[in-house]
Amino acid sequence: AVCMALSLLALLPFHLPYYHANQQWGYFRSLGGCVFWSADLALSYLTVPQLMNDVYRSLFRFAVELVSPHEKWLFPGIVLPLLVLLGTLPLRAFPLTDSLKQMQRVFWFILITSFVLSLGPYLVVLGRNTHVPLPYLLLYYVVPGFQAMRVTARFGFMVFLAASVLAALGFLKVCHSLNVRSGLRRLS
């Protein structure tokens, strides 16, 4: 709650002009525009940008440049999801403290919520609008400022922010495992 309040205070000065423009001139983004700029469930997180290394481009060749425009390219690489997975799996030799477990739950909530919001008002799969409504549609009509957002896929940045914290837990577990193994080798 404190984090949300501080975030609101930090972002409010940037959102107020949009709100005033909406109130004064009725300015808003169309729902169709929001759908166009939404992340594609099947492709956005798998489309490798052109400047990414050749290994990723060859591994994910099936999705290379299938999503356009580039604002919808949300490829996280392989290391980030792998570390998130390792950070989430329970490790008997490295039990998480209660505060780390709480932090893990909070950032998983942020990751999942941001991922769903990045998909926009309707689910888009393989470039086609399925007309399956998503939570962003409700926010579009109820929350001031959501009608002013152009690229809903930018919620993907919040996905990466949350994933980086969860990946840090995975990195800690990997380091702990390596330290235990190297310590055992020295003893034998």
Side-chain angles (χ1 to χ4, degrees), residues 39-139:
D40 186 304
L41 177 66
L43 298 175
S44 285
Y45 289 90
L46 297 176
T47 299
V48 180
Q50 294 174 352
L51 298 176
M52 194 67 90
N53 71 42
D54 293 335
V55 174
Y56 282 142
R57 290 184 61 77
S58 64
L59 285 173
F60 293 90
R61 175 176 347 156
F62 63 91
V64 172
E65 298 175 28
L66 290 176
V67 175
S68 67
H70 68 278
E71 282 95 340
K72 299 190 312 187
W73 295 346
L74 300 170
F75 183 68
I78 295 175
V79 176
L80 182 66
L82 182 63
L83 285 174
V84 168
L85 181 65
L86 289 173
T88 303
L89 294 175
L91 183 62
R92 207 175 319 154
F94 187 78
L96 295 178
T97 64
D98 288 338
S99 62
L100 284 178
K101 286 179 187 176
Q102 178 67 21
M103 183 185 75
Q104 188 178 42
R105 283 191 293 271
V106 166
F107 281 98
W108 265 112
F109 175 77
I110 293 170
L111 187 144
I112 292 167
T113 303
S114 300
F115 175 76
V116 171
L117 290 176
S118 77
L119 299 176
Y122 293 103
L123 185 63
V124 176
V125 180
L126 298 173
R128 291 196 167 90
N129 182 354
T130 63
H131 298 287
V132 173
L134 295 173
Y136 189 93
L137 183 62
L138 176 65
L139 297 173

Side-chain angles (χ1 to χ4, degrees), residues 28-47:
F28 66 94
R29 302 281 181 182
S30 71
L31 199 54
C34 287
V35 172
F36 176 78
W37 293 100
S38 298
D40 186 304
L41 177 66
L43 298 175
S44 285
Y45 289 90
L46 297 176
T47 299

Side-chain angles (χ1 to χ4, degrees), residues 16-29 144-148:
L16 280 177
Y18 289 108
Y19 178 74
H20 290 302
N22 180 286
Q23 294 300 309
Q24 188 172 5
W25 296 300
Y27 178 75
F28 66 94
R29 302 281 181 182
F146 268 78
Q147 290 183 351

